[in-house]
Amino acid sequence: MRTVSELLKHNGRVYVYSANERICRLFLENAEREGFTSCTGEKPTRLPVSDIFTLNSDKTINYVGFIGHMAFQNPDAVLGKTLIRVDYGRYLSGREDYLYNRGDDVNEEK
């Protein structure tokens, strides 16, 4: 089974997208089991559901606000940073196309 920690191997800012509440809860449960916390020190399973979180190399998770959502949708607009956009549902299912490429419409199912 793929782990949340393995996503940190990507070189860049890792954004994790969950298409629905069930997938988000799986992400938060898996992250907690692997020792991740929120940036405020809370257990991930105590966080409210969100469609996008970011992962940090220190095994913390951040919420993504308005600007982060815009960056997720338009990664070419962010200068000087590589954005790694992960569809967590695809990642968990073992699909090889779990990464969104630049220009992919994240609302369009592959």
Side-chain angles (χ1 to χ4, degrees):
M1 181 173 152
R2 291 174 162 172
T3 66
V4 175
S5 298
E6 288 173 7
L7 292 172
L8 294 175
K9 72 178 181 193
H10 293 286
N11 188 23
R13 181 83 165 143
V14 179
Y15 281 65
V16 179
Y17 168 75
S18 298
N20 58 49
E21 182 176 336
R22 181 183 62 81
I23 293 171
C24 179
R25 291 198 187 281
L26 281 171
F27 166 69
L28 295 172
E29 289 168 8
N30 292 340
E32 186 171 311
R33 237 186 325 275
E34 294 178 42
F36 282 80
T37 61
S38 76
C39 60
T40 61
E42 289 182 84
K43 292 182 177 187
T45 55
R46 300 199 39 90
L47 298 173
V49 170
S50 182
D51 60 339
I52 302 172
F53 288 93
T54 58
L55 300 178
N56 302 305
S57 60
D58 64 356
K59 294 188 95 172
T60 58
I61 299 170
N62 289 56
Y63 276 106
V64 174
F66 175 74
I67 299 299
H69 275 83
M70 289 181 63
F72 184 84
Q73 293 291 341
N74 302 292
D76 290 327
V78 180
L79 300 175
K81 291 190 180 186
T82 301
L83 301 184
I84 309 301
R85 302 178 304 156
V86 174
D87 182 311
Y88 196 67
R90 291 180 192 171
Y91 181 72
L92 276 184
S93 71
R95 287 176 55 170
E96 292 301 316
D97 65 342
Y98 68 88
L99 292 177
Y100 290 105
N101 295 311
R102 293 224 183 263
D104 283 352
D105 181 351
V106 296
N107 295 312
E108 179 182 303
E109 184 59 34
K110 288 185 178 182

